[in-house]
Amino acid sequence: MRPVTGPGRRGVLGGLLALAAPVRAARRTDWHPLAADVRAEMAWAWDQYRARAWGKDEIKPVSGGSSTFPLKGQHLGLTLIEALDTLWVMGLDDRFADGVAWVRDHADFALDGEVSVFETSIRLVGGLLSAHHACGDPMLLARARDLADRLLPAFATPTGMPYRFVNLLTGAVRDPATNPAEVGTFLPEWGTLSRLTGDPRYHDAAMKAVRACYARRSRLDLLAVKIDCRTGEWLDRRATIGSYADSFYEYLWDGWQLYGDRECKAMFDTCIAAILRHQRDRRDGRLWFADVDFETGAILNTRQDELASFFGGLLAQGGHARDGIAYTDSWAAVQARYGVLPEEWDYAAAAPTQLGNALRPELADAAFTLWLLDRDERWRHLAADHFRAMRRWHRAAYGYTDLADVTTKRQADHCPGYWWSEQMKYYWLIFSDTPRFDYRRNYLSTEGNVLLGLVR
Ligand code: DMJ
């Protein structure tokens, strides 16, 4: 692997796009009061978690209970670990130190139970690495390495693509029917681990898995959504930019930005060209991306995961600013209609097909990424709308919760770990102009973990 050289994935091309989309001076706003609101909400939610669910994976913000994830029935401190670099970049230093002390004294991954390899890596390995980036404590790196070592047995397959689940204690694996996202979302965390430890196994395992999946693309250069990690046979024909595929494409770009890896860039360019060619679909003047048959390109459905709403930022990073902005505008119009995006949207019917919202960060992610690229104030307005809607409808007695129904705003009772790592950080970074973050040279993972760009 190569050392970190280029600008971070959300920091590149700023000057170029600024020419295409100049900042509108007339709409200048002082965003710092909103940044202070975001920080205050983070501190309040953390204090609720500290009081009622300390060390648990996830707080139930309505009832005050807790739930486990990604291990069934046993807690790993997911929320706490996901929150660490957000607390640090907000300057909530006492709370950050409290969290690091919990990891030092209580984090234990030698537990007899199975976890999702993908979720554990992006959330926990990534969370520990970003916390290490924030403070340099070698204990955090050691914990990240210990956990990655427990995931490694999943990669011992004939293709190099990992099983979906592994037992943290025994290394027993389960479920070979995997997908591009769960195969190709490792390189930034695992490459960072290799760089910091000098052990190339992590980077090499991540890269081998990506190559194996990419090599099996169709003649249209499209990937389907389900693949057997033992044989490399596709188990489905549907190509999507949404769930089960999304971060595969994101991490191809990231491999290029973080390591200057030309192979990743070439794979990214090939995949994105195919998506733009075969999946781009315009309805009523709006840009969407259809699910298509990966071998024929025939449209299979017009449903769109909320998860895909990050994709506009990725397109712009990859040099497709016009499409990236148009796609983000499509989602912004849905947000304007409901306040909060539904989990799934049928763009042909212009109606939601899944009414919930799992406290999702993706549109704020796209706004932040686009803003880093062109500094257009409209992205700050979009992020502000996202934050204000969240504060209005997702706030509960003991924190922020998901919604059961975006049309009625009926609350469920669950705060996912990513809330602490993703949108709260995106809002803060886009509004605060904090000196703790290098706005020109940085890298945030798919989970919002900052692996490059924290300024100590
Ligand atoms: C996060 O865990 C990551 O962003 C992942 O890539 C998919 N989306 C969830 C949050 O919605």
Side-chain angles (χ1 to χ4, degrees):
M1 63 176 290
R2 284 180 237 173
V4 173
T5 49
R9 83 174 183 85
R10 300 177 203 233
V12 77
L13 290 178
L16 290 180
L17 284 180
L19 294 174
V23 170
R24 277 169 271 163
R27 295 183 67 194
R28 278 276 178 216
T29 305
D30 177 8
W31 297 101
H32 292 167
L34 202 54
D37 287 353
V38 172
R39 188 174 182 274
E41 290 305 294
M42 181 73 182
W44 170 77
W46 174 264
D47 292 346
Q48 297 301 318
Y49 172 76
R50 181 74 173 82
R52 294 170 189 279
W54 190 231
K56 307 288 189 217
D57 286 332
E58 297 166 323
I59 189 167
K60 290 177 181 266
V62 175
S63 61
S66 63
S67 52
T68 57
F69 184 84
L71 205 54
K72 274 202 185 80
Q74 302 184 78
H75 293 275
L76 298 171
L78 175 79
T79 281
L80 189 149
I81 291 171
E82 293 232 46
L84 287 176
D85 69 332
T86 309
L87 294 171
W88 187 87
V89 82
M90 289 182 176
L92 296 168
D93 294 344
D94 292 348
R95 292 172 175 90
F96 175 77
D98 200 17
V100 171
W102 184 91
V103 175
R104 187 186 55 238
D105 298 339
H106 301 290
D108 177 11
F109 303 127
L111 296 175
D112 189 6
E114 66 173 23
V115 293
S116 154
V117 179
F118 159 79
E119 297 287 6
T120 306
S121 179
I122 63 170
R123 294 164 183 249
L124 290 162
V125 176
L128 291 163
L129 288 173
S130 59
H132 174 263
H133 178 37
C135 68
D137 186 334
M139 175 277 297
L140 293 163
L141 176 59
R143 289 287 199 284
R145 185 179 199 175
D146 170 58
L147 187 52
D149 285 344
R150 295 175 188 281
L151 303 181
L152 263 179
F155 290 78
T157 62
T159 66
M161 293 188 282
Y163 279 88
R164 296 185 67 211
F165 297 95
V166 67
N167 182 299
L168 287 176
L169 192 65
T170 66
V173 293
R174 185 175 68 80
D175 200 352
T178 186
N179 53 75
E182 292 186 58
V183 157
T185 312
F186 294 93
L187 197 53
E189 293 86 357
W190 291 45
T192 298
L193 209 45
S194 285
R195 180 171 60 80
L196 294 173
T197 62
D199 182 341
R201 286 179 307 146
Y202 310 106
H203 170 270
D204 294 351
M207 197 63 199
K208 188 175 176 192
V210 171
R211 285 189 184 121
C213 189
Y214 177 76
R216 289 167 173 84
R217 68 196 182 280
S218 73
R219 273 181 300 180
L220 301 185
D221 289 327
L222 294 172
L223 307 174
V225 85
K226 207 173 196 185
I227 190 165
D228 189 319
C229 72
R230 300 163 305 183
T231 63
E233 269 178 60
W234 292 106
L235 305 172
D236 197 301
R237 302 181 61 83
R238 183 172 63 93
T240 182
I241 62 162
S243 191
Y244 302 118
D246 45 10
S247 50
F248 180 90
Y249 305 113
E250 186 179 359
Y251 271 25
L252 291 179
W253 177 258
D254 295 0
W256 161 242
Q257 281 306 316
L258 204 45
Y259 309 124
D261 188 318
R262 289 179 190 281
E263 185 184 353
C264 285
K265 174 70 160 54
M267 290 191 278
F268 174 84
D269 286 342
T270 300
C271 288
I272 296 299
I275 289 168
L276 289 171
R277 180 158 190 195
H278 299 291
Q279 295 184 247
R280 195 164 32 184
D281 194 7
R282 282 199 168 272
R283 301 282 168 116
D284 299 325
R286 295 277 179 213
L287 177 64
W288 299 100
F289 290 89
D291 285 359
V292 303
D293 183 293
F294 82 129
E295 286 181 324
T296 68
I299 290 186
L300 298 178
N301 70 70
T302 53
R303 293 190 298 275
Q304 205 88 152
D305 276 342
E306 185 281 346
L307 287 167
S309 63
F310 87 99
F311 196 67
L314 181 64
L315 282 174
Q317 286 177 308
H320 305 280
R322 188 173 304 186
D323 285 316
I325 290 169
Y327 188 57
T328 305
D329 284 344
S330 299
W331 281 110
V334 181
Q335 175 171 271
R337 184 160 156 190
Y338 294 95
V340 177
L341 294 180
E343 282 292 303
E344 191 182 78
W345 172 253
D346 187 325
Y347 61 80
T353 37
Q354 285 179 29
L355 290 177
N357 178 288
L359 197 49
R360 293 290 186 188
E362 280 76 19
L363 193 57
D365 180 341
F368 176 55
T369 302
L370 287 161
W371 178 78
L372 281 179
L373 291 167
D374 65 17
R375 295 295 198 272
D376 192 321
E377 287 287 277
R378 75 161 132 161
W379 307 124
R380 281 175 146 171
H381 285 280
L382 182 58
D385 289 347
H386 197 270
F387 170 66
R388 291 189 178 113
M390 184 192 75
R391 189 172 52 183
R392 179 170 176 195
W393 286 304
H394 293 262
R395 201 177 202 273
Y398 309 118
Y400 278 81
T401 182
D402 51 1
L403 294 184
D405 186 335
V406 300
T407 63
T408 62
K409 310 296 186 293
R410 182 164 56 87
Q411 293 187 338
D413 189 13
H414 176 236
C415 181
Y418 51 74
W419 180 81
W420 305 87
S421 183
E422 293 209 53
Q423 59 262 57
M424 294 306 280
K425 189 183 291 132
Y426 305 143
Y427 303 141
W428 170 253
L429 292 177
I430 201 170
F431 301 136
S432 69
D433 304 309
T434 174
R436 288 197 171 191
F437 185 72
D438 182 341
Y439 283 86
R440 285 171 306 162
R441 188 165 182 276
N442 54 69
Y443 172 79
L444 280 75
S445 74
T446 190
E447 191 73 359
N449 288 310
V450 186
L451 300 181
L452 175 71
L454 295 180
V455 182
R456 281 192 238 159

